[in-house]
Amino acid sequence: MYVSVQKLGTTLVWTLNRPDRFHALGPVIGGELLQLCLDLEQELHPFSTSITQNDPAYRCLLIRASPIRRGDKQPIWIAGGDLKELAQLEEPRDGRAYAMEWARIASILQSLPIPVIAAIQGAAIGGGAELALAADLRLATRESSLHFKQLEVGLATGYGSCQRLVSLVGLARATDLLLRCRKLSADEACNLGLISECVADDEALERLILQVTQDLTRLSAKGLMVQKQMLNGPFADRKSSWVEKELDLFESLWMAEAHKKFLDRFTGGEPK
């Protein structure tokens, strides 16, 4: 299992744990995470539809991954897509299935009736940045970053994240971030609103997480659910008609010349 589950009071914690792959996102870890999402969605469904008067067992979901440290280099939080796994997906339809899996994960996270928090401790690269965007709150250390390098590997955003990014920062800024493969420091991302709060180090992040989760616990569970639905409802309605189109476009790039060339360099198919 590459995603561990903890229950800390009213906080549910999912921790990605595949350090040998820098917690990269491929079909294997995606399958685990999707099943967790589906199970949690089903568990919370009665509360989201006001069938019961009770409060859910969880007030929020925390997604994290232990930072991979490499000497004096920037730590890695999630290193994009798992290129070793993705290199085995030789047909465009396989690439589409991969993107669809992660788009569904992101969609469920955004539509859950409880707040989702991403605790970022290092570089969130490509798909890692896209996963973070699906959270409601993104908390980070100052050594963190968001790197939108999808075009550099011959692809484009693949988790339904293009419209999500536009919704967060506007079309002009999203265009700049994606077309220029921008890498944002934690402070820069915080200034743009892509990171909710940025703190000095890992110790400060733990204190911030505790503070935020305690703040959420003190609030009305039903009020939180209603407020999240109000916040995300317009985005979900606007995005729904584009989901299939984005997947079609992503599929058209899979194993096209630029993408295959990048994978060949990575897997040793040709000299780097």
Side-chain angles (χ1 to χ4, degrees):
M1 297 289 289
Y2 296 117
V3 184
S4 65
V5 177
Q6 289 178 286
K7 301 172 184 179
L8 303 177
T10 58
T11 301
L12 178 63
V13 184
W14 293 348
T15 303
L16 278 62
N17 184 29
R18 202 176 187 184
D20 60 312
R21 300 285 182 90
F22 297 94
H23 311 309
L25 309 179
V28 173
I29 202 168
E32 288 187 26
L33 197 56
L34 178 57
Q35 189 58 57
L36 287 172
C37 284
L38 291 169
D39 291 345
L40 183 58
E41 183 181 47
Q42 182 175 13
E43 181 179 348
L44 294 175
H45 180 70
F47 303 97
S48 63
T49 54
S50 301
I51 293 174
T52 175
Q53 294 301 310
N54 299 322
D55 287 342
Y58 312 115
R59 196 58 61 89
C60 62
L61 168 64
L62 176 65
I63 297 177
R64 59 189 323 171
S66 298
I68 307 296
R69 301 191 179 278
R70 308 159 297 153
D72 59 356
K73 295 181 179 179
Q74 181 188 21
I76 300 292
W77 183 61
I78 295 177
D82 189 326
L83 298 180
K84 290 184 179 179
E85 287 186 13
L86 300 187
Q88 306 304 312
L89 307 179
E90 298 181 352
E91 297 296 329
R93 65 177 179 272
D94 298 325
R96 180 194 178 93
Y98 156 74
M100 184 182 298
E101 179 175 69
W102 282 98
R104 193 173 181 196
I105 289 168
S107 178
I108 291 175
L109 291 175
Q110 193 156 26
S111 64
L112 285 175
I114 59 174
V116 177
I117 303 168
I120 306 169
Q121 294 171 269
I125 304 169
E130 293 190 55
L131 179 62
L133 293 185
D136 300 295
L137 298 171
R138 287 165 289 281
L139 312 178
T141 58
R142 282 213 161 77
E143 60 184 354
S144 301
S145 63
L146 301 178
H147 192 176
F148 298 95
K149 63 177 293 182
Q150 289 85 342
L151 289 179
E152 291 181 356
V153 304
L155 291 174
T157 49
Y159 304 171
S161 302
C162 183
Q163 294 305 306
R164 190 171 287 114
L165 184 60
V166 169
S167 180
L168 287 167
V169 299
L171 178 59
R173 182 66 70 180
T175 300
D176 178 69
L177 292 176
L178 295 177
L179 297 191
R180 301 182 67 189
C181 302
R182 292 286 198 180
K183 180 179 180 180
L184 297 174
S185 69
D187 284 328
E188 290 171 330
C190 201
N191 288 336
L192 286 179
L194 289 177
I195 287 178
S196 310
E197 191 165 346
C198 177
V199 293
D201 52 31
D202 293 343
E203 191 174 315
L205 182 64
E206 296 308 317
R207 292 195 297 270
L208 177 60
I209 290 170
L210 181 60
Q211 175 192 326
V212 171
T213 55
Q214 287 178 341
D215 288 345
L216 293 174
T217 300
R218 285 193 288 265
L219 299 173
S220 157
K222 291 181 177 59
L224 280 173
M225 292 181 199
V226 169
Q227 190 66 77
K228 179 168 178 178
Q229 187 174 355
M230 288 179 178
L231 287 165
N232 289 312
F235 171 80
D237 292 343
R238 185 172 65 253
K239 178 176 174 289
S240 59
S241 63
W242 254 94
V243 171
E244 288 298 319
K245 182 63 175 176
E246 284 194 19
L247 289 170
D248 289 342
L249 292 169
F250 185 87
E251 181 179 356
S252 73
L253 294 173
W254 196 264
M255 289 300 176
E257 183 178 359
H259 182 225
K260 190 173 187 307
K261 198 170 186 179
F262 175 82
L263 288 177
D264 284 344
R265 287 201 307 271
F266 178 82
T267 59
E270 63 178 60
K272 292 185 179 181

